[in-house]
Amino acid sequence: MTLLFSKDVTPGFAIHATAERLRNYLAVEKACVRINAGWFLEIRPYEQKYRLAYSLHGHSEHASWLIARLEEMRGGKANASVRPDLRRLLDEVLHAPDGNAFLRAFFGVLKRALLNQYRDDLERMDPSANANEIRILERIVADLQREMDWFDRLELEGQTCPWAEYVRSLLTSIGGIHGEATERDDPLARPHAGIFRRPGTILFDDRIRHERLVPYDERSGYSPREATIEQFKVFFNEMYAAALLASVLFDAAGDDLPWEFFADFSRHFWDEARHSEFGAIRLKELGTEPDRCDPVLFEQSEALPILHRVTYLTRGLEAYFMPRKPKRFKEYEANGDFRSQLFADQDWSDEINHVRYGSKWTDYLLEDDSREIADVLDEVKAHLSKIRGQTVADIQAPF
């Protein structure tokens, strides 16, 4: 006699249940993009800033994979609403009182719970029926495990963290990511009353000073080694561009913009943070350390509308810096400095792509708008003129 049913067979998830689970994951992944963007500006050690940049880009990729799968599914509806209690939890995670508490709650509680839930779902999926979801979730699990490995190596202050315990209690009270856990307790009292406010500058620990860099023209008289050191200080200073994009990703969340906007600028943000990391790496190799950042370009533009920030960076500043890219590449080649040339090569290629993003999204944001790009750039110049107390005729940088 053939058995039609067996308790040993993995049950798997039907389409409706799968779509609901993927939407829960999507809500968390999207929220993590915004949380990372805000705390990138706030967290002090620059090494942790880089980790948050990698994390943000990873969550953006995860969200894109989940959206693509949902759009293939019958009734997938990637934009359908998710549970209000899950959204409230995700909103609350942002408001940690300090960097230590943020890391413990964000990585140690929320992202660890997310990783465990992905693993639990993988164990329950049918290898054939749920093959599409398995491929996606396995890639996400590998990414999140690397993040947990990094977090577990951190030496954070204190043995306990009231904010992390509070977030853990919120997660328990709603039944976890999917709201399915049966053991629920009332959430703990909120341990502090503060609300996260996006900084208007780039915050660092005491190793990094807010200080001007050597201007471009002055570097031309330096020896190749001295010039290279100053050039990689400018690389490190691309933190300002990453910060400007972080402000865009943070402030634009909730606006009626296509997900592709966030996906493109998450990639752009990650690239700029990597370029800053190039500076940190190469400076150390050259026997020195990053010690300064000039955030003036970010500070003077972070309050502009989204359209103006994107235009200023991608169609103003990056166009201004672009002629230096091939020249710097060739100088390193002539000096036999192939290590520096490697970083310059990647930077040059990335920046070309960023101009494409800028053209794509400024055109989109100006649809049904009577203004042209030149008009928006004129408005940016007028804003900068007001802040600086002198007429700004051209988009340029002091380094």
Side-chain angles (χ1 to χ4, degrees), residues 197-217:
R197 304 292 183 193
R198 174 179 67 75
T201 189
I202 314 170
L203 300 176
F204 291 99
D205 58 27
D206 58 11
R207 294 173 298 168
I208 307 297
R209 305 185 304 275
H210 281 188
E211 191 171 300
R212 68 185 290 275
L213 303 175
V214 175
Y216 178 74
D217 291 340

Side-chain angles (χ1 to χ4, degrees), residues 226-294:
E226 290 172 331
T228 299
I229 288 174
E230 294 303 326
Q231 287 160 1
F232 277 92
K233 288 182 180 180
V234 175
F235 266 106
F236 180 78
N237 203 64
E238 290 201 27
M239 197 73 81
Y240 88 85
L244 194 53
L245 291 158
S247 77
V248 167
L249 292 167
F250 185 85
D251 294 350
D255 288 355
D256 188 20
L257 287 166
W259 170 251
E260 192 178 355
F261 174 93
F262 296 94
D264 284 350
F265 285 119
S266 293
R267 170 59 190 271
H268 188 170
F269 161 77
W270 178 56
D271 286 344
E272 299 295 2
R274 283 175 44 250
H275 299 169
S276 174
E277 190 178 27
F278 294 170
I281 291 168
R282 192 70 182 117
L283 287 171
K284 291 174 188 289
E285 291 174 348
L286 292 167
T288 186
E289 293 279 341
D291 63 359
R292 70 193 64 185
C293 176
D294 185 353

Side-chain angles (χ1 to χ4, degrees), residues 292-310:
R292 70 193 64 185
C293 176
D294 185 353
V296 63
L297 298 178
F298 171 68
E299 292 175 343
Q300 292 182 350
S301 61
E302 56 85 22
L304 285 166
I306 297 293
L307 166 64
H308 293 68
R309 274 178 266 174
V310 170

Side-chain angles (χ1 to χ4, degrees), residues 326-380:
K327 181 181 178 183
R328 184 173 56 191
F329 176 87
K330 292 174 183 177
E331 284 176 355
Y332 292 146
E333 184 175 40
N335 294 334
D337 185 357
F338 299 112
R339 178 68 170 160
S340 295
Q341 188 184 33
L342 171 66
F343 292 126
D345 192 21
Q346 293 292 330
D347 171 75
W348 183 12
S349 179
D350 289 341
E351 299 294 355
I352 293 170
N353 200 41
H354 301 162
V355 172
R356 293 194 191 103
Y357 290 151
S359 297
K360 171 182 175 181
W361 290 109
T362 51
D363 287 349
Y364 175 87
L365 292 169
L366 283 170
E367 286 180 3
D368 302 320
D369 194 312
S370 61
R371 292 172 296 179
E372 303 288 341
I373 285 297
D375 299 319
V376 178
L377 284 172
D378 284 343
E379 291 170 6
V380 170

